[in-house]
Structure formats: structure tokens, C-alpha cells
Amino acid sequence: GSTKDDINILNTALGLEYQAIAAYQVGAESGLLQKPVLDTAVKFQTHHKAHAQVLASTVEKLGGTPVKARSNSEYSFPTAQLKTQADVLRFAAGLEKGATAAYLGVLPSFHNRDLSKAAGSILGDEAMHWAILLSALGEDPVPGAFVG
């Protein structure tokens, strides 16, 4: 591992955070979310914005150039399939599950071990989002003893 490898991992994570921000925007603007659920979605979007800020500034501190966010239209979100609040929640839960797995997958790959701690902290937040979304769907919020 090297600093260049760490920058690449961080930029991949940054791209995923931008995708999550855009996805929560789609959900918020869908008109399908009831007030308490909408408030939670906006809160989670705020978390993803905070993750993105930290990741981008860390890439810069390491001497890299952070990736830029795409426009929302560049993501291939299944907007035509989002017809109910449950559809939006299921879509968001899938993204959070994917983010949890992605952070888990990169933890051992960092050259700089401090970055593993930071990514682990973000992983914990993604897992909480996933659990809360599953609970909102009436599903088991903790379906297993392990994530992965």
C-alpha cells in the first residue's frame, strides 16, 4: 500500500458519498415521504455531506485531487420504480447496505492506519442508517450477527 493507493480508495468512497447525497435528494423530492421519514432522509443526507467533506479534505491533505460530484441525472437511479414510501426506503436501504459493505471491504487496505479508523467510523454510521431504514420498512433492523 501507498499514499497513492489511499487516495484512490478515498476517492472511490467520496464518489459513493456523492451518489448517496444525490439519492437522498431524489427521495426527498419524490413527494412520497411522510414528514418524519422525510426528516430522517434529510438528516442522513446531511451525514453523507459531512462524510464527503472529510473525505475530500483528506484527499487534498494527502496531495491528491478529490473527485467531483456528478450531476443527479448522471446516476442511473430507478426513479420509475419509486412509487411508494416503501420503495424509496428500500432503495435507500440498499444503498446504505452497499456503503456499509464497501467501507468494510476497504478497511484492511489502507496504508495509513489512521484512515482505517476514520473509515470505520463512517462504516458505523452507514450501518446505523441501514438498520433504521430496515426498521422503518417493518423489517428486522439487524438481520444477522455480522455485516458483510
Side-chain angles (χ1 to χ4, degrees), residues 14-142:
L14 180 56
L16 291 172
E17 293 295 345
Y18 287 144
Q19 179 186 32
I21 292 164
Y24 277 106
Q25 194 64 38
V26 166
E29 293 175 355
S30 70
L32 298 170
L33 302 181
Q34 297 168 7
K35 177 86 171 102
V37 174
L38 176 61
D39 292 345
T40 299
V42 170
K43 181 178 185 175
F44 289 177
Q45 184 188 48
T46 302
H47 292 177
H48 289 290
K49 288 177 179 178
H51 300 164
Q53 282 182 316
V54 167
L55 292 167
S57 68
T58 303
V59 167
E60 288 174 348
K61 285 177 191 164
L62 293 174
T65 302
V67 296
K68 300 293 179 208
R70 298 179 189 178
S71 69
N72 286 10
S73 63
E74 291 181 77
Y75 294 106
S76 53
F77 296 140
T79 51
Q81 282 83 14
L82 303 179
K83 298 184 184 333
T84 66
Q85 176 170 281
D87 293 340
V88 175
L89 291 171
R90 201 163 280 105
F91 168 58
L95 290 175
E96 296 290 2
K97 178 181 181 181
T100 301
Y103 280 105
L104 182 61
V106 300
L107 285 180
S109 303
F110 283 109
H111 172 68
N112 179 335
R113 301 313 296 160
D114 288 335
L115 296 175
S116 294
K117 286 189 251 176
S121 178
I122 295 173
L123 181 157
D125 190 55
E126 306 293 8
M128 286 188 285
H129 291 176
W130 178 28
I132 289 167
L133 292 166
L134 289 175
S135 181
L137 282 162
E139 297 177 16
D140 183 352
V142 187

